[in-house]
Amino acid sequence: MKKTLLLLLIVLLAACSAQTTEKPDENEHAEKQMNEDQKQTEEDVENEEDPETDEDSNSEEDTENGNDEKENEPDPIQYTVHPANWTLKPQSETELKTVLLTIDDAPDKHALEMAQKLKDLNVPAIFFVNGHFMDTDEERKIVKQIHELGFEIGNHTMTHANLSKLSVDKQRYEITQLSEEIQNVTGEAPKFFRAPFGVNTDFSKQLMEEQQMIYMNWTYGYDWEKEYQTSASIADIMVNTPLLTDGAILLMHDRDWTNEALMDIVKGLEAKGYTFVDPDQIVQ
């Protein structure tokens, strides 16, 4: 009996010893697994991209790309006026077909309305004004409004006189007096001059050089001719004339029928593939 009890005691002690030995191994394994899991978590956090840093990086990259695109944008084509045929000639190669819109005798009746129509169509033009159409506060206000819409204000003399019939002193007055009045109204001296009836003189050309102005006539225009004094007829001839060519300078006036036809003229030219030269692109 004693032997049996002794044997049982030995067996129990051996079992307890085995359990004590195995437990540290289990704890060590669990701790090791925990450390590995924590280590993996820390590595994941370190490897994860910071959203703010990534956003800043993208923003800087976008800015750099935007600057690169801006730097790579070609400069606008520059044009000069050729008096041999009164067209605009590009100073570098371009596949664009272009025309320049000009409106004389402003602001008689419809110039501001015409300017607003062109503004809505995003089409540039030169408005050549006469001194006798801007000798009241209301008329000067209209000229200022046209300029504020973004249009170039050109000099068309004070009284629309034929320069070839005037003395040098009177020619000077007709041109320089109006330039001064335009500058007083718009804050800018006019860049362009158009002689009434297209009649330039040796003196007016010399004065243009002194004043650093560009003088120009036109490739074609029709709205003063009786047969084209309806909106339908003037819209048709301005778009379908055989004189329409790349670089053409188009002459129109502040007239009822031209005002009514203006949008059709623009759309007709665009349908033929023409774009419109900004006066800022014209150089001496």
Side-chain angles (χ1 to χ4, degrees):
M1 182 68 178
K2 289 182 179 179
K3 289 181 179 181
T4 301
L5 290 173
L6 182 60
L7 182 60
L8 287 171
L9 182 60
I10 292 171
V11 170
L12 288 172
L13 289 173
C16 289
S17 175
Q19 286 181 357
T20 303
T21 304
E22 290 174 4
K23 192 169 183 180
D25 290 341
E26 289 175 1
N27 290 339
E28 183 179 349
H29 175 74
E31 185 177 357
K32 183 178 180 181
Q33 185 63 44
M34 234 169 121
N35 289 338
E36 289 178 355
D37 291 344
Q38 179 66 19
K39 183 178 180 181
Q40 183 62 46
T41 301
E42 291 174 354
E43 289 176 355
D44 290 343
V45 170
E46 290 176 359
N47 292 333
E48 184 177 348
E49 292 184 355
D50 184 348
E52 292 184 2
T53 302
D54 186 50
E55 183 178 344
D56 292 342
S57 176
N58 289 338
S59 177
E60 290 175 2
E61 187 174 329
D62 290 343
T63 301
E64 290 176 0
N65 289 338
N67 289 336
D68 289 342
E69 289 177 4
K70 189 172 182 180
E71 289 175 0
N72 292 331
E73 287 180 2
D75 293 330
I77 301 294
Q78 292 187 325
Y79 296 84
T80 56
V81 179
H82 280 231
N85 59 359
W86 295 114
T87 60
L88 297 180
K89 297 298 182 183
Q91 298 305 288
S92 54
E93 291 186 6
T94 176
E95 295 180 358
L96 293 176
K97 293 195 305 180
T98 60
V99 293
L100 172 68
L101 297 188
T102 65
I103 298 170
D104 283 12
D105 297 348
D108 186 3
K109 297 178 181 178
H110 308 288
L112 183 56
E113 184 180 352
M114 296 172 83
Q116 187 59 65
K117 288 178 180 178
L118 293 174
K119 179 71 173 180
D120 292 342
L121 294 169
N122 196 30
V123 172
I126 302 174
F127 283 78
F128 283 99
V129 303
N130 298 110
H132 61 264
F133 286 138
M134 55 177 293
D135 55 5
T136 68
D137 289 342
E138 183 62 29
E139 289 170 338
R140 285 190 285 271
K141 181 180 178 182
I142 291 173
V143 172
K144 185 176 182 180
Q145 288 175 303
I146 294 172
H147 180 261
E148 289 175 344
L149 284 171
F151 294 98
E152 194 80 26
I153 304 298
N155 184 323
H156 198 36
T157 73
M158 287 293 295
T159 67
H160 203 271
N162 187 325
L163 296 180
S164 67
K165 297 180 179 180
L166 301 180
S167 67
V168 167
D169 288 342
K170 287 185 177 179
Q171 289 183 62
R172 181 182 294 276
Y173 171 81
E174 285 281 340
I175 298 169
T176 60
Q177 181 63 30
L178 182 57
S179 288
E180 184 178 325
E181 294 191 14
I182 291 173
Q183 185 165 11
N184 289 338
V185 170
T186 66
E188 296 181 6
K191 178 181 176 182
F192 299 98
F193 172 74
R194 172 168 286 159
F197 315 107
V199 179
N200 292 283
T201 66
D202 291 339
F203 175 76
S204 70
K205 294 175 184 178
Q206 176 188 331
L207 187 59
M208 291 305 100
E209 292 184 10
E210 293 176 8
Q211 301 289 313
Q212 296 184 324
M213 295 172 69
I214 300 170
Y215 68 95
M216 66 169 64
N217 284 355
W218 54 88
T219 311
Y220 67 85
Y222 297 92
D223 62 357
W224 66 88
E225 298 181 20
K226 189 173 181 179
E227 63 183 298
Y228 298 115
Q229 292 182 3
T230 67
S231 60
S233 62
I234 191 61
D236 178 67
I237 192 64
M238 291 299 290
V239 173
N240 297 312
T241 174
L243 297 177
L244 174 61
T245 187
D246 185 18
I249 300 173
L250 278 55
L251 170 62
M252 295 178 285
H253 293 80
D254 182 342
R255 300 289 185 268
D256 297 345
W257 45 92
T258 310
N259 176 40
E260 293 170 5
L262 187 57
M263 295 185 76
D264 289 337
I265 293 171
V266 168
K267 291 177 181 179
L269 292 167
E270 288 178 334
K272 287 196 167 185
Y274 285 89
T275 59
F276 302 91
V277 172
D278 189 317
D280 287 342
Q281 296 173 253
I282 303 173
V283 297
Q284 287 182 316

